[in-house]
Amino acid sequence: MRDQSNGQERGSALDKALAVLEAITAQSQPIGLPDLSARLKLPRQTVHRVLTQLEKLGLVVRDPSRDRFSVGPRLSTLALNALRTHNQSAPIHAILQQLVDEIEETCNVGVLDGLQFVYLERIECHWALRVHLQAGSRVPAHCTSGGKVMLAHLDDAVRARLLRNVTLKPCTEHTITQTTELEAELAEIRRRGYAVNNQEFTIGIIGVAVPIADRQGRVLAALAVHGPSPRLDLERAIGFVPRLKEAAGVMADAWTGGPDVADTPLSSRATSVGTAPARVGD
């Protein structure tokens, strides 16, 4: 009987811990104990006990100056590993492979980790002239199309905190190195719905990326294509945007449990360029 009771207590504690983590990750800024208690309708003492345990595990971090809590390094690593695992990435890989087969250029899916863009999935084209990277590789976010898409759709306060007092290192003569210029570029990306990389990371490499957003408009990741400028000029790259947005919609459904479209040919979907969720483009 005691074992059953302990099991119920552990389950209850796990439920509370998950509820606290979900509440923290749903916020764009650190959140305090009173707000968490009110949102979860749990006693402050209970929430405080859960937060203490989560902090010890590195799943949340506390800002002692304001007594607010945010995502911890261990939770960030867990989230990245969950996105990268092949346990769930098979549909994404299949959609990406279909896209690469169709447009015959290297495509990738990635997310933001600080000021780095991390490739979760990447499929190379068949051409001998291409950039050789792999899933797990990290590139600077401020000078890559996928990274700029993710930066553009961050909460304003979070983005300002990331870019505050940071040096944007030049990778080529085309790299944006001024924060004010980058902010203007990010605003334009939100307006038009895609980002470009015009030889900003590597001379001779052109790229374009679109957001992968859920039905509420929350950006989950970025989908990008890139290739060498002799074969993929900027105009041709931008011409792929409608197809990228189409594929991004299929990926979002596969990730979030939407319509069963992972095996549906992209060409049979009627997604138009302007149908991205409202929050993505505002």
Side-chain angles (χ1 to χ4, degrees), residues 147-167:
K148 288 194 287 185
V149 160
M150 296 303 293
L151 286 172
H153 294 291
L154 281 179
D155 175 83
D156 291 345
V158 174
R159 184 173 57 252
R161 189 165 63 247
L162 266 180
L163 296 177
R164 187 181 301 132
N165 301 321
V166 75
T167 299

Side-chain angles (χ1 to χ4, degrees), residues 222-277:
L223 170 63
V225 58
H226 65 74
S229 54
R231 190 174 66 235
L232 183 68
D233 60 24
L234 191 58
E235 182 179 1
R236 182 166 182 261
I238 293 173
F240 288 138
V241 166
R243 187 57 88 211
L244 289 173
K245 287 190 173 184
E246 195 174 350
V250 184
M251 289 180 178
D253 285 338
W255 247 327
T256 60
D260 187 13
V261 293
D263 297 323
T264 303
L266 296 181
S267 58
S268 70
R269 288 174 55 85
T271 308
S272 66
V273 180
T275 55

